[in-house]
Amino acid sequence: MPDALDATPYDALLLLSFGGPEGPDDVVPFLENVTRGRGIPKERLKEVGQHYFRFGGISPINGQNRALIEALREDFAGHGLELPVYWGNRNWAPYLTDTLREMVADGRRRVLVLATSAYASYSGCRQYRENLADALATLRAEGLELPRIDKLRHYFNHPGFVEPMIDGVLRSLADLPEDVRDRAHIAFSTHSIPLAAADTSGPVEAHGEGGAYVEEHLDVARLIAAAVRERTGVDHPWRLVYQSRSGAPHIPWLEPDICDHLEERHAAGVPAVVMAPIGFVSDHMEVLYDLDTEATAKAEELGLPVRRSATVGADPRFAAAVRELILERAAIERGQDITPCALGTLGASHNVCPVGCCPSRAPRPAAAGADSPYA
């Protein structure tokens, strides 16, 4: 098509992420941002911050976002897509409100948002939409002209997200000792969330039994396991497991935990495990600590060989996928009839979050959805 690289009506892409500290002095203020309103004492935050202090007080997520932005800019330039890329965070600099203020000053009026979370959930989607609404409310109070903001659909089953993870699992299997490789188990890991949040994730029709959050992860796990079987001729057993649980112990969260799962698999006679963090876009703190440090230490204690496969990060295929998602959404906004790209059984996700999608316990305004007050 002559307009194949036309992003009209959009004039900017905003990478929206969680944020993280970039030095020891940032750790407690960052955690105060993350836990604001929960009344957690500073001394407790210092204890929680040990995960960050272990790595010099630096979260890898900011560096990984910078690498992804460079990959996006390189891909866009190489394909003739003229679309500036901005970056804003929920909990640390560059803060979302500051970035939106900058975008308004630069004359951006139609903005597409790429969140660094591939799946449907409150914390991975609606909370970012609430952050956008809060930022827009601040800009409105300042008398600024508000841009229209749309959010790219969930990309968990886009080939550019799935294929790098397949390659990562294959590399990890190949790195295991040959005598245990073909009998290795694959533990597909993602962030645990409360059962109540899982059950209400995604559109209303997807609620119940883990909701869209669990079903989307299971679909990706099936895709990867099938690809590994096709490319190696070995049918590896697998399970979706969870990590990084936080919060009150009496509240039920998704299980099994990765460390408990390693113990159970070792007791069942499994000779090796590949940990595949399919729920994470990049190797941020939950991956470095909960898998590379804590789970790996558990495996060493058990005498169980483990490998951890790579996340997608700034893989050029993921950058290309983002470009394709942008062009797809732009074409839809222009009224063109297109076929969205998606693997697996679930099909392409919705472009506009419907009313009732991933609700919060205390309803708050959320932008970039059917219930947005900033249409």
Side-chain angles (χ1 to χ4, degrees):
M1 295 187 300
D3 61 346
L5 296 184
D6 182 8
T8 307
Y10 299 106
D11 55 18
L13 176 70
L14 168 62
L15 179 70
L16 179 54
S17 194
F18 192 82
E22 304 216 60
D25 293 340
D26 296 344
V27 172
V28 171
F30 162 74
L31 291 174
E32 288 175 332
N33 287 343
V34 173
T35 61
R36 192 175 306 281
R38 302 183 199 173
I40 299 177
K42 182 170 288 190
E43 290 307 311
R44 173 57 181 154
L45 295 181
K46 290 180 180 178
E47 293 176 19
V48 175
Q50 292 306 313
H51 293 183
Y52 292 95
F53 292 130
R54 185 186 187 105
F55 296 91
I58 300 172
S59 169
I61 193 171
N62 287 338
Q64 290 159 5
N65 281 332
R66 292 186 183 100
L68 176 57
I69 289 168
E70 288 307 307
L72 291 172
R73 288 172 175 163
E74 182 177 343
D75 178 90
F76 293 0
H79 291 84
L81 177 60
E82 297 182 1
L83 193 71
V85 182
Y86 294 78
W87 172 31
N89 289 325
R90 172 185 293 167
N91 295 304
W92 201 249
Y95 289 103
L96 171 60
T97 302
D98 295 336
T99 300
L100 282 180
R101 198 179 285 118
E102 176 189 357
M103 296 176 81
V104 169
D106 289 346
R108 309 305 175 192
R109 294 295 176 261
R110 286 292 301 271
V111 177
L112 262 178
V113 172
L114 168 67
T116 55
S117 176
Y119 302 86
S121 71
Y122 170 73
S123 58
C125 184
R126 185 176 177 89
Q127 191 173 8
Y128 282 121
R129 293 177 49 224
E130 292 175 352
N131 299 148
L132 286 165
D134 291 343
L136 290 171
T138 298
L139 267 57
R140 174 176 282 173
E142 294 172 357
L144 298 177
E145 182 179 354
L146 302 186
R148 174 171 167 179
I149 295 180
D150 294 325
K151 180 178 174 293
L152 286 172
R153 65 177 171 89
H154 301 303
Y155 46 84
F156 64 93
N157 56 3
H158 193 286
F161 186 70
V162 176
E163 284 292 337
M165 292 190 292
I166 293 170
D167 288 348
V169 171
L170 289 170
R171 285 193 298 270
S172 292
L173 287 167
D175 192 48
L176 284 169
E178 188 173 356
D179 61 334
V180 299
R181 185 180 305 151
D182 287 352
R183 294 178 291 134
H185 172 87
I186 305 174
F188 293 108
S189 184
T190 190
H191 208 301
S192 184
I193 61 175
L195 287 182
D199 290 348
T200 56
S201 58
V204 172
E205 58 269 21
H207 290 180
E209 301 297 325
Y213 185 76
V214 170
E215 189 53 44
E216 288 170 0
H217 281 87
L218 286 172
D219 210 37
V220 171
R222 285 190 287 263
L223 283 167
I224 297 173
V228 168
R229 180 172 61 250
E230 179 181 340
R231 299 179 196 185
T232 66
V234 179
D235 190 7
H236 290 273
W238 62 269
R239 183 164 182 183
L240 179 62
V241 301
Y242 303 93
Q243 61 176 89
S244 312
R245 178 193 165 130
S246 60
H250 68 279
I251 298 175
W253 285 52
L254 290 169
E255 296 178 338
D257 175 78
I258 177 64
C259 289
D260 294 339
H261 183 64
L262 292 177
E263 288 187 336
E264 187 272 333
R265 288 291 81 202
H266 177 258
V270 166
V273 174
V274 168
M275 301 182 294
I278 62 172
F280 304 88
V281 173
S282 60
D283 290 3
H284 51 75
M285 188 56 69
E286 281 87 349
V287 175
L288 290 188
Y289 184 81
D290 296 328
L291 293 185
D292 293 355
T293 304
E294 194 172 53
T296 299
K298 171 59 68 176
E300 290 175 353
E301 173 191 317
L302 296 168
L304 178 67
V306 294
R307 298 293 185 271
R308 196 268 290 174
S309 66
T311 53
V312 172
D315 190 291
R317 289 169 291 184
F318 182 45
V322 173
R323 168 172 42 84
E324 292 169 8
L325 289 166
I326 291 168
L327 297 175
E328 171 195 298
R329 181 62 182 274
I332 291 171
E333 290 295 307
R334 296 194 301 267
Q336 294 177 239
D337 185 18
I338 65 165
T339 301
C341 184
L343 300 174
T345 63
L346 299 180
S349 180
H350 49 265
N351 281 301
V352 178
C353 291
V355 176
C357 194
C358 303
S360 57
R361 287 187 294 176
R364 293 176 51 200
D371 56 354
S372 172
Y374 301 100

